[in-house]
Amino acid sequence: MKVLIVNTSERTGGAAVAAGRLVEALNNNAVKATMLVRDKQSDEITVVGLPKSWLSRWHFLWERLVIFVRMHFNYSRVFEVDLANAGSDITRLREFREADVIHLHWINQGMLSLKGIRKILKSGKPVVWTMHDLWPATALCHYARGCRHYMSQCRQCPLLPGGGSDHDLSVSVWRRKQTMLAAGTIHFVACSRWLEGEAKKSALLSGQHITSIPNPINTRVYCPQDQAEARRQMGLPVEGRIILFVSQKVTDERKGISYFVEAINQLAGQHPELKADTHIAILGAHADAVASQLALPTHALGYLSDERQIVAVYNAADVFVTPSLEDNLPNTIMESMACGVPCVGFRVGGIPEMIDHRKNGYVAEFRNAADLARGIGWVLTEADRDALRSEALRKVKLSYSQSSVSLRYIELYQQALATKHFKL
């Protein structure tokens, strides 16, 4: 079986990381998988870049320009929505022709257009689409932020100027997506049960095949290491406790950095003794912007691309905190637990599916900084460290290992192929 996995980027973003890990997992389980990307960033032979052309750049720029105009020339939300009004035609590529299954992932920002996806469907090849956020089930947005219009029909989009209208851009894109979906069958996969539930509420995806399969992780790479050595490698204090925060962009409001700052400051106020031997490590771009706001000594590690260093950072930590306000199935939680590090996060999205409360971490009440602080304190000062570590490793092995995830996808591919042959 040959599978073509399609994603905008090879390595940038959580979806790219997850798609790349799935390629590796499938190839390790007797499926020939190739990843097709617009932004190729390595010399991996299993990853193919789109043919070099000025058109690829133009597709991206044209979509952003249209959004910029529709936003009344306000740049602040230009990257919060996607139209898929421009993209490459991949059906002409050899990799497409040779594939038995086409597996879409995150295809925005000029990679594929809705017209291009319609052409893929009309080719007759089975199509699987892994949803890394809600965009395939809405008109414009990747995260609904409390809006529920997608349950009936997108309109009055709160991301558009003035809150949109009954005839705004979201209405026209919704109709274009309906036209696309009418061209053939897509087997949708949500990375979490939470996202599966939200997708099934979408009127756009009514009657579509939707299931949930988590992302995989390579437990030979993300695995426990000697903590003291990991700290020395990353220039972190060898003694004491380390609380870790990770985000591609630390200042991203959706990642909840304000709640992290508030929780840490509450924790330090309630337990002043922690100031002597507890440090914060922040991994991600713009880490310096928040370091001065924290009441505990903070180490801004910046953005890292070296996977060995990232694994060392996780292994250096005693607890990983992820106060996301809306998230699907964060790779960061999976990576942390694979290294045996307990996690603390809010009860939102797919996070409660990953963190088993008081077993491998702590699930705090949503947007409750005080409860987040309690969870961090519980992990650091009360919980059985070895028990948490053992449960974290067990959860990853059972739910997110390459073998378990790839087998579920292989079964889905076989179902998709069988459906295609039955129709023929």
Side-chain angles (χ1 to χ4, degrees), residues 121-150:
L121 290 170
K122 284 191 169 184
S123 74
K125 288 183 181 286
V127 177
V128 173
W129 193 344
T130 292
M131 301 173 59
H132 294 277
D133 53 42
L134 202 53
W135 186 81
T138 71
L140 306 175
C141 69
H142 294 269
Y143 290 92
R145 293 174 171 83
C147 175
R148 289 293 178 259
H149 288 312
Y150 69 91

PDB file of all heavy atoms in Angstrom, residues 121-150:
ATOM      1  N   LEU A 121     -10.743  14.650  -5.009  1.00  0.00           N
ATOM      2  CA  LEU A 121     -11.890  13.776  -4.777  1.00  0.00           C
ATOM      3  C   LEU A 121     -12.416  13.200  -6.089  1.00  0.00           C
ATOM      4  O   LEU A 121     -12.776  12.023  -6.168  1.00  0.00           O
ATOM      5  CB  LEU A 121     -12.994  14.546  -4.057  1.00  0.00           C
ATOM      6  CG  LEU A 121     -12.714  14.908  -2.597  1.00  0.00           C
ATOM      7  CD1 LEU A 121     -13.767  15.883  -2.073  1.00  0.00           C
ATOM      8  CD2 LEU A 121     -12.690  13.662  -1.731  1.00  0.00           C
ATOM      9  N   LYS A 122     -12.436  14.023  -7.123  1.00  0.00           N
ATOM     10  CA  LYS A 122     -12.959  13.563  -8.411  1.00  0.00           C
ATOM     11  C   LYS A 122     -12.030  12.559  -9.084  1.00  0.00           C
ATOM     12  O   LYS A 122     -12.445  11.839 -10.006  1.00  0.00           O
ATOM     13  CB  LYS A 122     -13.182  14.762  -9.334  1.00  0.00           C
ATOM     14  CG  LYS A 122     -14.426  15.571  -8.982  1.00  0.00           C
ATOM     15  CD  LYS A 122     -14.749  16.577 -10.068  1.00  0.00           C
ATOM     16  CE  LYS A 122     -16.131  17.181  -9.850  1.00  0.00           C
ATOM     17  NZ  LYS A 122     -16.513  18.096 -10.952  1.00  0.00           N
ATOM     18  N   SER A 123     -10.770  12.480  -8.623  1.00  0.00           N
ATOM     19  CA  SER A 123      -9.839  11.503  -9.191  1.00  0.00           C
ATOM     20  C   SER A 123     -10.250  10.076  -8.861  1.00  0.00           C
ATOM     21  O   SER A 123      -9.805   9.125  -9.515  1.00  0.00           O
ATOM     22  CB  SER A 123      -8.427  11.762  -8.666  1.00  0.00           C
ATOM     23  OG  SER A 123      -8.307  11.336  -7.308  1.00  0.00           O
ATOM     24  N   GLY A 124     -11.065   9.921  -7.822  1.00  0.00           N
ATOM     25  CA  GLY A 124     -11.515   8.582  -7.427  1.00  0.00           C
ATOM     26  C   GLY A 124     -10.632   7.909  -6.402  1.00  0.00           C
ATOM     27  O   GLY A 124     -10.968   6.832  -5.889  1.00  0.00           O
ATOM     28  N   LYS A 125      -9.492   8.530  -6.068  1.00  0.00           N
ATOM     29  CA  LYS A 125      -8.623   7.930  -5.057  1.00  0.00           C
ATOM     30  C   LYS A 125      -9.232   8.120  -3.675  1.00  0.00           C
ATOM     31  O   LYS A 125      -9.811   9.174  -3.378  1.00  0.00           O
ATOM     32  CB  LYS A 125      -7.231   8.573  -5.106  1.00  0.00           C
ATOM     33  CG  LYS A 125      -6.406   8.179  -6.328  1.00  0.00           C
ATOM     34  CD  LYS A 125      -5.031   8.790  -6.277  1.00  0.00           C
ATOM     35  CE  LYS A 125      -4.213   8.418  -7.504  1.00  0.00           C
ATOM     36  NZ  LYS A 125      -3.748   7.017  -7.482  1.00  0.00           N
ATOM     37  N   PRO A 126      -9.107   7.123  -2.788  1.00  0.00           N
ATOM     38  CA  PRO A 126      -9.607   7.272  -1.412  1.00  0.00           C
ATOM     39  C   PRO A 126      -8.890   8.436  -0.719  1.00  0.00           C
ATOM     40  O   PRO A 126      -7.673   8.592  -0.851  1.00  0.00           O
ATOM     41  CB  PRO A 126      -9.256   5.940  -0.749  1.00  0.00           C
ATOM     42  CG  PRO A 126      -9.069   4.985  -1.878  1.00  0.00           C
ATOM     43  CD  PRO A 126      -8.539   5.783  -3.021  1.00  0.00           C
ATOM     44  N   VAL A 127      -9.644   9.248   0.008  1.00  0.00           N
ATOM     45  CA  VAL A 127      -9.086  10.415   0.682  1.00  0.00           C
ATOM     46  C   VAL A 127      -9.362  10.332   2.177  1.00  0.00           C
ATOM     47  O   VAL A 127     -10.513  10.171   2.603  1.00  0.00           O
ATOM     48  CB  VAL A 127      -9.668  11.725   0.113  1.00  0.00           C
ATOM     49  CG1 VAL A 127      -9.129  12.933   0.899  1.00  0.00           C
ATOM     50  CG2 VAL A 127      -9.328  11.864  -1.369  1.00  0.00           C
ATOM     51  N   VAL A 128      -8.307  10.444   2.961  1.00  0.00           N
ATOM     52  CA  VAL A 128      -8.390  10.546   4.416  1.00  0.00           C
ATOM     53  C   VAL A 128      -7.912  11.949   4.778  1.00  0.00           C
ATOM     54  O   VAL A 128      -6.967  12.461   4.180  1.00  0.00           O
ATOM     55  CB  VAL A 128      -7.511   9.480   5.107  1.00  0.00           C
ATOM     56  CG1 VAL A 128      -7.470   9.695   6.624  1.00  0.00           C
ATOM     57  CG2 VAL A 128      -8.028   8.080   4.778  1.00  0.00           C
ATOM     58  N   TRP A 129      -8.597  12.581   5.731  1.00  0.00           N
ATOM     59  CA  TRP A 129      -8.213  13.941   6.127  1.00  0.00           C
ATOM     60  C   TRP A 129      -8.117  14.007   7.653  1.00  0.00           C
ATOM     61  O   TRP A 129      -9.114  13.927   8.345  1.00  0.00           O
ATOM     62  CB  TRP A 129      -9.228  14.953   5.620  1.00  0.00           C
ATOM     63  CG  TRP A 129      -8.780  16.394   5.712  1.00  0.00           C
ATOM     64  CD1 TRP A 129      -7.745  16.888   6.442  1.00  0.00           C
ATOM     65  CD2 TRP A 129      -9.360  17.516   5.024  1.00  0.00           C
ATOM     66  NE1 TRP A 129      -7.628  18.245   6.273  1.00  0.00           N
ATOM     67  CE2 TRP A 129      -8.604  18.656   5.404  1.00  0.00           C
ATOM     68  CE3 TRP A 129     -10.428  17.661   4.151  1.00  0.00           C
ATOM     69  CZ2 TRP A 129      -8.916  19.938   4.918  1.00  0.00           C
ATOM     70  CZ3 TRP A 129     -10.728  18.931   3.672  1.00  0.00           C
ATOM     71  CH2 TRP A 129      -9.982  20.045   4.049  1.00  0.00           C
ATOM     72  N   THR A 130      -6.888  14.129   8.157  1.00  0.00           N
ATOM     73  CA  THR A 130      -6.702  14.276   9.600  1.00  0.00           C
ATOM     74  C   THR A 130      -6.887  15.736   9.991  1.00  0.00           C
ATOM     75  O   THR A 130      -6.193  16.618   9.478  1.00  0.00           O
ATOM     76  CB  THR A 130      -5.302  13.798  10.024  1.00  0.00           C
ATOM     77  OG1 THR A 130      -5.235  12.380   9.849  1.00  0.00           O
ATOM     78  CG2 THR A 130      -5.041  14.112  11.492  1.00  0.00           C
ATOM     79  N   MET A 131      -7.812  15.967  10.902  1.00  0.00           N
ATOM     80  CA  MET A 131      -8.108  17.315  11.391  1.00  0.00           C
ATOM     81  C   MET A 131      -7.214  17.622  12.597  1.00  0.00           C
ATOM     82  O   MET A 131      -7.327  16.976  13.630  1.00  0.00           O
ATOM     83  CB  MET A 131      -9.574  17.402  11.798  1.00  0.00           C
ATOM     84  CG  MET A 131     -10.563  17.092  10.690  1.00  0.00           C
ATOM     85  SD  MET A 131     -12.270  17.015  11.289  1.00  0.00           S
ATOM     86  CE  MET A 131     -12.470  18.666  11.961  1.00  0.00           C
ATOM     87  N   HIS A 132      -6.352  18.604  12.444  1.00  0.00           N
ATOM     88  CA  HIS A 132      -5.514  19.034  13.560  1.00  0.00           C
ATOM     89  C   HIS A 132      -6.147  20.209  14.298  1.00  0.00           C
ATOM     90  O   HIS A 132      -5.655  20.631  15.349  1.00  0.00           O
ATOM     91  CB  HIS A 132      -4.126  19.399  13.065  1.00  0.00           C
ATOM     92  CG  HIS A 132      -3.370  18.218  12.537  1.00  0.00           C
ATOM     93  ND1 HIS A 132      -2.668  17.348  13.353  1.00  0.00           N
ATOM     94  CD2 HIS A 132      -3.238  17.728  11.273  1.00  0.00           C
ATOM     95  CE1 HIS A 132      -2.121  16.401  12.618  1.00  0.00           C
ATOM     96  NE2 HIS A 132      -2.461  16.598  11.355  1.00  0.00           N
ATOM     97  N   ASP A 133      -7.212  20.735  13.723  1.00  0.00           N
ATOM     98  CA  ASP A 133      -8.018  21.781  14.360  1.00  0.00           C
ATOM     99  C   ASP A 133      -9.394  21.735  13.703  1.00  0.00           C
ATOM    100  O   ASP A 133      -9.709  20.787  12.970  1.00  0.00           O
ATOM    101  CB  ASP A 133      -7.354  23.160  14.242  1.00  0.00           C
ATOM    102  CG  ASP A 133      -6.992  23.522  12.808  1.00  0.00           C
ATOM    103  OD1 ASP A 133      -7.810  23.264  11.898  1.00  0.00           O
ATOM    104  OD2 ASP A 133      -5.885  24.062  12.578  1.00  0.00           O
ATOM    105  N   LEU A 134     -10.214  22.753  13.919  1.00  0.00           N
ATOM    106  CA  LEU A 134     -11.616  22.704  13.498  1.00  0.00           C
ATOM    107  C   LEU A 134     -11.845  23.234  12.087  1.00  0.00           C
ATOM    108  O   LEU A 134     -12.975  23.189  11.593  1.00  0.00           O
ATOM    109  CB  LEU A 134     -12.460  23.497  14.510  1.00  0.00           C
ATOM    110  CG  LEU A 134     -13.956  23.200  14.617  1.00  0.00           C
ATOM    111  CD1 LEU A 134     -14.225  21.714  14.827  1.00  0.00           C
ATOM    112  CD2 LEU A 134     -14.589  24.031  15.721  1.00  0.00           C
ATOM    113  N   TRP A 135     -10.808  23.721  11.399  1.00  0.00           N
ATOM    114  CA  TRP A 135     -11.013  24.393  10.113  1.00  0.00           C
ATOM    115  C   TRP A 135     -11.785  23.560   9.084  1.00  0.00           C
ATOM    116  O   TRP A 135     -12.651  24.113   8.391  1.00  0.00           O
ATOM    117  CB  TRP A 135      -9.661  24.822   9.525  1.00  0.00           C
ATOM    118  CG  TRP A 135      -9.807  25.636   8.275  1.00  0.00           C
ATOM    119  CD1 TRP A 135     -10.085  26.970   8.181  1.00  0.00           C
ATOM    120  CD2 TRP A 135      -9.723  25.149   6.925  1.00  0.00           C
ATOM    121  NE1 TRP A 135     -10.154  27.356   6.868  1.00  0.00           N
ATOM    122  CE2 TRP A 135      -9.933  26.253   6.075  1.00  0.00           C
ATOM    123  CE3 TRP A 135      -9.465  23.896   6.356  1.00  0.00           C
ATOM    124  CZ2 TRP A 135      -9.914  26.139   4.684  1.00  0.00           C
ATOM    125  CZ3 TRP A 135      -9.448  23.781   4.972  1.00  0.00           C
ATOM    126  CH2 TRP A 135      -9.670  24.890   4.149  1.00  0.00           C
ATOM    127  N   PRO A 136     -11.550  22.255   8.927  1.00  0.00           N
ATOM    128  CA  PRO A 136     -12.338  21.508   7.941  1.00  0.00           C
ATOM    129  C   PRO A 136     -13.840  21.470   8.253  1.00  0.00           C
ATOM    130  O   PRO A 136     -14.639  21.159   7.373  1.00  0.00           O
ATOM    131  CB  PRO A 136     -11.734  20.091   8.013  1.00  0.00           C
ATOM    132  CG  PRO A 136     -10.341  20.307   8.505  1.00  0.00           C
ATOM    133  CD  PRO A 136     -10.470  21.432   9.498  1.00  0.00           C
ATOM    134  N   ALA A 137     -14.209  21.799   9.496  1.00  0.00           N
ATOM    135  CA  ALA A 137     -15.619  21.738   9.894  1.00  0.00           C
ATOM    136  C   ALA A 137     -16.262  23.119  10.004  1.00  0.00           C
ATOM    137  O   ALA A 137     -17.435  23.232  10.356  1.00  0.00           O
ATOM    138  CB  ALA A 137     -15.754  21.016  11.236  1.00  0.00           C
ATOM    139  N   THR A 138     -15.482  24.179   9.739  1.00  0.00           N
ATOM    140  CA  THR A 138     -15.998  25.543   9.776  1.00  0.00           C
ATOM    141  C   THR A 138     -15.724  26.201   8.431  1.00  0.00           C
ATOM    142  O   THR A 138     -15.121  25.600   7.542  1.00  0.00           O
ATOM    143  CB  THR A 138     -15.330  26.375  10.883  1.00  0.00           C
ATOM    144  OG1 THR A 138     -13.969  26.644  10.509  1.00  0.00           O
ATOM    145  CG2 THR A 138     -15.355  25.643  12.217  1.00  0.00           C
ATOM    146  N   ALA A 139     -16.150  27.459   8.316  1.00  0.00           N
ATOM    147  CA  ALA A 139     -15.851  28.190   7.083  1.00  0.00           C
ATOM    148  C   ALA A 139     -14.435  28.738   7.089  1.00  0.00           C
ATOM    149  O   ALA A 139     -13.653  28.471   6.170  1.00  0.00           O
ATOM    150  CB  ALA A 139     -16.854  29.333   6.900  1.00  0.00           C
ATOM    151  N   LEU A 140     -14.079  29.489   8.147  1.00  0.00           N
ATOM    152  CA  LEU A 140     -12.829  30.241   8.150  1.00  0.00           C
ATOM    153  C   LEU A 140     -11.877  29.904   9.278  1.00  0.00           C
ATOM    154  O   LEU A 140     -10.660  29.913   9.088  1.00  0.00           O
ATOM    155  CB  LEU A 140     -13.130  31.757   8.241  1.00  0.00           C
ATOM    156  CG  LEU A 140     -14.065  32.372   7.217  1.00  0.00           C
ATOM    157  CD1 LEU A 140     -14.312  33.839   7.579  1.00  0.00           C
ATOM    158  CD2 LEU A 140     -13.479  32.268   5.826  1.00  0.00           C
ATOM    159  N   CYS A 141     -12.402  29.636  10.468  1.00  0.00           N
ATOM    160  CA  CYS A 141     -11.563  29.612  11.667  1.00  0.00           C
ATOM    161  C   CYS A 141     -10.994  28.227  11.954  1.00  0.00           C
ATOM    162  O   CYS A 141     -11.554  27.204  11.572  1.00  0.00           O
ATOM    163  CB  CYS A 141     -12.353  30.105  12.879  1.00  0.00           C
ATOM    164  SG  CYS A 141     -13.671  28.993  13.409  1.00  0.00           S
ATOM    165  N   HIS A 142      -9.865  28.228  12.677  1.00  0.00           N
ATOM    166  CA  HIS A 142      -9.236  26.981  13.122  1.00  0.00           C
ATOM    167  C   HIS A 142      -9.687  26.605  14.529  1.00  0.00           C
ATOM    168  O   HIS A 142      -9.716  25.429  14.887  1.00  0.00           O
ATOM    169  CB  HIS A 142      -7.715  27.127  13.088  1.00  0.00           C
ATOM    170  CG  HIS A 142      -7.179  27.284  11.700  1.00  0.00           C
ATOM    171  ND1 HIS A 142      -6.780  26.215  10.933  1.00  0.00           N
ATOM    172  CD2 HIS A 142      -6.997  28.380  10.926  1.00  0.00           C
ATOM    173  CE1 HIS A 142      -6.367  26.650   9.749  1.00  0.00           C
ATOM    174  NE2 HIS A 142      -6.491  27.957   9.721  1.00  0.00           N
ATOM    175  N   TYR A 143     -10.029  27.609  15.314  1.00  0.00           N
ATOM    176  CA  TYR A 143     -10.568  27.405  16.663  1.00  0.00           C
ATOM    177  C   TYR A 143     -11.768  28.328  16.827  1.00  0.00           C
ATOM    178  O   TYR A 143     -11.687  29.526  16.546  1.00  0.00           O
ATOM    179  CB  TYR A 143      -9.509  27.692  17.737  1.00  0.00           C
ATOM    180  CG  TYR A 143      -8.416  26.653  17.746  1.00  0.00           C
ATOM    181  CD1 TYR A 143      -7.251  26.825  17.001  1.00  0.00           C
ATOM    182  CD2 TYR A 143      -8.559  25.474  18.482  1.00  0.00           C
ATOM    183  CE1 TYR A 143      -6.258  25.852  16.988  1.00  0.00           C
ATOM    184  CE2 TYR A 143      -7.570  24.496  18.471  1.00  0.00           C
ATOM    185  CZ  TYR A 143      -6.429  24.692  17.731  1.00  0.00           C
ATOM    186  OH  TYR A 143      -5.449  23.734  17.711  1.00  0.00           O
ATOM    187  N   ALA A 144     -12.901  27.774  17.280  1.00  0.00           N
ATOM    188  CA  ALA A 144     -14.163  28.511  17.270  1.00  0.00           C
ATOM    189  C   ALA A 144     -14.247  29.599  18.336  1.00  0.00           C
ATOM    190  O   ALA A 144     -15.043  30.525  18.210  1.00  0.00           O
ATOM    191  CB  ALA A 144     -15.329  27.532  17.452  1.00  0.00           C
ATOM    192  N   ARG A 145     -13.468  29.477  19.420  1.00  0.00           N
ATOM    193  CA  ARG A 145     -13.449  30.486  20.486  1.00  0.00           C
ATOM    194  C   ARG A 145     -14.853  30.803  20.998  1.00  0.00           C
ATOM    195  O   ARG A 145     -15.208  31.952  21.214  1.00  0.00           O
ATOM    196  CB  ARG A 145     -12.776  31.765  19.994  1.00  0.00           C
ATOM    197  CG  ARG A 145     -11.291  31.605  19.697  1.00  0.00           C
ATOM    198  CD  ARG A 145     -10.699  32.860  19.072  1.00  0.00           C
ATOM    199  NE  ARG A 145      -9.261  32.808  18.985  1.00  0.00           N
ATOM    200  CZ  ARG A 145      -8.584  32.205  18.020  1.00  0.00           C
ATOM    201  NH1 ARG A 145      -9.252  31.585  17.064  1.00  0.00           N
ATOM    202  NH2 ARG A 145      -7.266  32.205  18.000  1.00  0.00           N
ATOM    203  N   GLY A 146     -15.648  29.761  21.165  1.00  0.00           N
ATOM    204  CA  GLY A 146     -16.984  29.931  21.729  1.00  0.00           C
ATOM    205  C   GLY A 146     -18.079  30.143  20.713  1.00  0.00           C
ATOM    206  O   GLY A 146     -19.268  30.014  21.041  1.00  0.00           O
ATOM    207  N   CYS A 147     -17.751  30.470  19.473  1.00  0.00           N
ATOM    208  CA  CYS A 147     -18.769  30.640  18.428  1.00  0.00           C
ATOM    209  C   CYS A 147     -19.354  29.276  18.072  1.00  0.00           C
ATOM    210  O   CYS A 147     -18.623  28.288  17.955  1.00  0.00           O
ATOM    211  CB  CYS A 147     -18.141  31.291  17.195  1.00  0.00           C
ATOM    212  SG  CYS A 147     -19.276  31.422  15.789  1.00  0.00           S
ATOM    213  N   ARG A 148     -20.670  29.231  17.880  1.00  0.00           N
ATOM    214  CA  ARG A 148     -21.331  27.962  17.559  1.00  0.00           C
ATOM    215  C   ARG A 148     -22.095  28.014  16.235  1.00  0.00           C
ATOM    216  O   ARG A 148     -22.897  27.134  15.944  1.00  0.00           O
ATOM    217  CB  ARG A 148     -22.290  27.575  18.702  1.00  0.00           C
ATOM    218  CG  ARG A 148     -21.554  27.143  19.974  1.00  0.00           C
ATOM    219  CD  ARG A 148     -20.820  25.852  19.740  1.00  0.00           C
ATOM    220  NE  ARG A 148     -20.057  25.370  20.873  1.00  0.00           N
ATOM    221  CZ  ARG A 148     -18.755  25.498  21.013  1.00  0.00           C
ATOM    222  NH1 ARG A 148     -18.044  26.134  20.085  1.00  0.00           N
ATOM    223  NH2 ARG A 148     -18.128  25.001  22.062  1.00  0.00           N
ATOM    224  N   HIS A 149     -21.831  29.003  15.408  1.00  0.00           N
ATOM    225  CA  HIS A 149     -22.546  29.115  14.137  1.00  0.00           C
ATOM    226  C   HIS A 149     -22.285  27.922  13.223  1.00  0.00           C
ATOM    227  O   HIS A 149     -23.134  27.565  12.400  1.00  0.00           O
ATOM    228  CB  HIS A 149     -22.168  30.415  13.421  1.00  0.00           C
ATOM    229  CG  HIS A 149     -22.741  31.649  14.050  1.00  0.00           C
ATOM    230  ND1 HIS A 149     -24.069  31.759  14.416  1.00  0.00           N
ATOM    231  CD2 HIS A 149     -22.155  32.831  14.385  1.00  0.00           C
ATOM    232  CE1 HIS A 149     -24.286  32.947  14.942  1.00  0.00           C
ATOM    233  NE2 HIS A 149     -23.135  33.617  14.953  1.00  0.00           N
ATOM    234  N   TYR A 150     -21.099  27.294  13.346  1.00  0.00           N
ATOM    235  CA  TYR A 150     -20.781  26.168  12.459  1.00  0.00           C
ATOM    236  C   TYR A 150     -21.698  24.971  12.684  1.00  0.00           C
ATOM    237  O   TYR A 150     -21.743  24.057  11.858  1.00  0.00           O
ATOM    238  CB  TYR A 150     -19.318  25.750  12.624  1.00  0.00           C
ATOM    239  CG  TYR A 150     -18.973  25.111  13.955  1.00  0.00           C
ATOM    240  CD1 TYR A 150     -19.047  23.738  14.127  1.00  0.00           C
ATOM    241  CD2 TYR A 150     -18.574  25.892  15.036  1.00  0.00           C
ATOM    242  CE1 TYR A 150     -18.744  23.151  15.335  1.00  0.00           C
ATOM    243  CE2 TYR A 150     -18.269  25.315  16.251  1.00  0.00           C
ATOM    244  CZ  TYR A 150     -18.350  23.958  16.400  1.00  0.00           C
ATOM    245  OH  TYR A 150     -18.059  23.381  17.615  1.00  0.00           O
TER     246      TYR A 150
END
